[in-house]
Amino acid sequence: MLEKINQTVAFIKGKVTIEPEVGIILGTGLGGLVKEIEKQQALDYKDIPNFPISTVEGHTGRLIFGELGGKKVVAMQGRFHFYEGYDMKQVTFPVRVMKFLGIQYLFVSNASGGMNPAFEIGDLMIINDHINLMPNPLLGPNISELGPRFPDMHRAYDEKLIALAKKVAASNGTAIKEGCYVGTTGPTFETPKEYQYFRIIGGDAVGMSTVPEVIVARHMNIPVFAISIITDLGVPGKIIEVSHEDVQKIGNLSEQKMTRIMKDMLTQL
Ligand code: HPA
């Protein structure tokens, strides 16, 4: 694994002059933030050694380097999901690479289904905790050069970054929710009873990504900020049928608000 990471990092450093301070992973249909990145240098995943190739619709599959909010960033336009058939080491490999490229923060976005009855479709939710219902990406021998065998998960989502997100949201008049994200493998959406179960165990929203990347980032002690767009509701009485297309449509509408928050946060980091 270390050898692969070093090989990929050496390739990227040979192609790109920007040394990123912040890594950004963009969720389903949420690649619009990329338009705001200045002085872009981009690499297609298919050209990067050891990178898997994204298969899901709505994911372009590029690593974009540039400047956002005055910070040097590397953004993943399109991520790798466990449900696509990649193993967890592949899903999280780009996070390892971003760490070795020098990132000091990781920002993550996703789309999710809301279980909290106070949520509406289109809401933004700051993730302040998660419940992992996927295979853990750290299973197997630990590589001590990367992090500890038993990483702490008490503060998986950085409290200072959460406070900053709330501050910038308030100052630009964006309403924002906060809660716990339940990570499932997918690819099925939930049955009504599954939504109910996830609510009972403490979840506010459910989705099929993010948790593996966050676990791996925390393994390497990278502070994480994650934000979710509520694209559908698993609330009794409000449950409607969801499709991937619905998730993308709603995602696009709320994405501008999310982009603004991330950009303002970067400016103030
Ligand atoms: N469940 C799981 N993943 C999702 C959902 C959902 O309701 N909405 C968007 N991603």
Side-chain angles (χ1 to χ4, degrees):
M1 163 107 87
L2 275 179
E3 206 174 296
K4 270 191 176 177
I5 299 168
N6 286 326
Q7 193 184 31
T8 305
V9 168
F11 171 85
I12 293 171
K13 284 189 167 167
K15 297 267 175 199
V16 171
T17 53
I18 289 162
E19 293 180 8
E21 306 155 88
V22 181
I24 304 172
I25 303 176
L26 298 166
T28 308
L30 306 179
L33 174 137
V34 162
K35 288 193 223 88
E36 308 264 330
I37 299 177
E38 295 161 36
K39 302 181 188 165
Q40 287 194 18
Q41 301 177 6
L43 295 172
D44 286 348
Y45 293 163
K46 66 173 170 41
D47 298 328
I48 304 175
N50 306 319
F51 251 56
I53 292 158
S54 182
T55 61
V56 77
E57 219 179 296
H59 289 243
T60 318
R62 288 192 310 159
L63 209 51
I64 294 145
F65 296 80
E67 286 179 22
L68 186 66
K71 299 288 181 307
K72 294 192 177 104
V73 302
V74 53
M76 288 182 70
Q77 190 175 26
R79 62 142 66 86
F80 304 104
H81 298 89
F82 187 64
Y83 63 73
E84 293 176 85
Y86 304 114
D87 68 37
M88 280 300 188
K89 304 282 182 233
Q90 292 177 301
V91 167
T92 55
F93 183 74
V95 182
R96 301 289 191 198
V97 169
M98 290 194 280
K99 166 77 180 182
F100 278 61
L101 286 170
I103 65 162
Q104 286 146 41
Y105 298 96
L106 180 68
F107 283 31
V108 188
S109 70
N110 64 44
S112 66
M115 279 96 62
N116 185 325
F119 289 1
E120 301 291 343
I121 288 175
D123 276 354
L124 296 178
M125 183 188 91
I126 296 170
I127 301 177
N128 61 18
D129 201 348
H130 71 225
I131 295 172
N132 181 25
L133 299 179
M134 304 190 218
N136 196 298
L138 302 180
L139 284 172
N142 185 55
I143 300 170
S144 54
E145 289 88 344
L146 296 176
R149 172 72 287 188
F150 301 108
D152 183 71
M153 285 288 142
H154 265 88
R155 290 191 184 81
Y157 300 86
D158 191 82
E159 286 173 358
K160 284 196 194 115
L161 294 176
I162 291 174
L164 179 58
K166 287 182 186 168
K167 189 182 117 188
V168 303
S171 73
N172 66 35
T174 303
I176 198 148
K177 305 278 180 17
E178 190 178 335
C180 173
Y181 178 90
V182 179
T184 67
T185 65
T188 45
F189 291 111
E190 283 61 38
T191 65
K193 284 290 179 194
E194 284 168 343
Y195 283 124
Q196 202 180 331
Y197 166 62
F198 293 155
R199 180 68 186 147
I200 290 167
I201 63 173
D204 295 289
V206 55
M208 308 171 195
S209 68
T210 302
V211 171
E213 293 103 316
V214 171
I215 289 174
V216 164
R218 295 304 301 140
H219 183 232
M220 298 183 293
N221 208 24
I222 306 171
V224 171
F225 174 72
I227 188 165
S228 192
I229 294 179
I230 308 296
T231 53
D232 55 276
L233 293 173
V235 174
K238 290 191 189 173
I239 299 177
I240 46 154
E241 213 175 290
V242 273
S243 69
H244 185 61
E245 291 68 34
D246 293 336
V247 167
Q248 292 197 312
K249 225 183 288 165
I250 304 287
N252 287 332
L253 291 173
S254 297
E255 166 176 39
Q256 290 165 20
K257 290 191 283 182
M258 189 196 74
T259 298
R260 173 88 195 269
I261 289 172
M262 286 205 185
K263 194 173 167 181
D264 290 354
M265 286 175 73
L266 287 172
T267 308
Q268 294 189 36
L269 264 185

